[in-house]
Amino acid sequence: MFIQEPKLGLKCNIQLSHVQNRLEQENVSLIELHLEEGDLFGEKYEELKSRIRLIQEKGIRVILHHPMRIHQVLLNVAYRNCKEEDYFLLTTRILVELCEEFDVYTVVHMSYGENSESTRMERKPSKDVIVKSVARMLEIDESIGKGRIYWENGIAGNGAYHDDDYLAD
């Protein structure tokens, strides 16, 4: 009987010590780099590219996780006509370019949650908001995604995993 070695996927930020720690683990087949606000610009961008190369040199797959916020504001695909939308679209474009350059994929959430702690887990978005968010997600995917975006649900906000049958009612 053939027993396959377990495969392990790990997550970390782009700090070299964090990446090196994950590379030292056994049976790692995937590392998801969880990006922060400034990681796609300037020196941090070059650092990110260096980390991707380092991981790939070890034969390990890379996934890039879209930043969750700008200036402490959690992002949402439904934002329109504001700096958060500009940042969301710009960073998604940058990530897709990186994905093509390094033959990797990016994870993006429809929403990273509510910006008010008191409503984070209590408020359920209306069906209209969810439908508009999904439509916006598809629009972004078709216009700039180039097949490189994995859209992921979360624990809060539009597209949260709890109460998945909400739209079926």
Side-chain angles (χ1 to χ4, degrees), residues 26-38:
E26 293 184 30
N27 301 317
V28 177
S29 61
L30 173 98
I31 294 180
E32 181 178 340
L33 294 173
H34 197 283
L35 305 177
E36 297 178 10
E37 183 177 328

Side-chain angles (χ1 to χ4, degrees), residues 84-142:
E84 290 82 12
E85 179 194 27
D86 293 343
Y87 176 81
F88 188 89
L89 293 175
L90 174 63
T91 53
T92 301
R93 281 186 185 99
I94 292 169
L95 281 167
V96 168
E97 289 171 11
L98 272 173
C99 289
E100 289 191 305
E101 180 179 344
F102 289 97
D103 192 23
V104 300
Y105 293 86
T106 186
V107 170
V108 181
H109 291 259
M110 282 176 42
S111 170
Y112 292 94
E114 298 292 330
N115 282 296
S116 166
E117 277 299 320
S118 63
T119 61
R120 182 163 291 168
M121 295 304 283
E122 297 167 11
R123 205 172 100 208
K124 184 186 298 186
S126 70
K127 289 181 183 180
D128 184 55
V129 167
I130 294 172
V131 169
K132 285 180 180 176
S133 295
V134 170
R136 180 70 170 143
M137 178 187 75
L138 293 172
E139 176 188 320
I140 291 169
D141 200 61
E142 290 173 7

Side-chain angles (χ1 to χ4, degrees), residues 146-162:
K146 299 181 181 180
R148 294 291 179 168
I149 300 173
Y150 289 137
W151 292 94
E152 187 175 59
N153 63 355
I155 61 168
N158 306 348
Y161 73 84
H162 62 287

Side-chain angles (χ1 to χ4, degrees), residues 22 56 83:
R22 300 323 184 265
Q56 287 182 328
K83 68 180 180 208

Side-chain angles (χ1 to χ4, degrees), residues 53-68:
R53 281 192 283 282
L54 176 64
I55 294 166
Q56 287 182 328
E57 286 169 1
K58 304 290 185 185
I60 297 171
R61 290 181 44 222
V62 175
I63 296 280
L64 304 173
H65 192 289
H66 191 279
M68 295 175 57

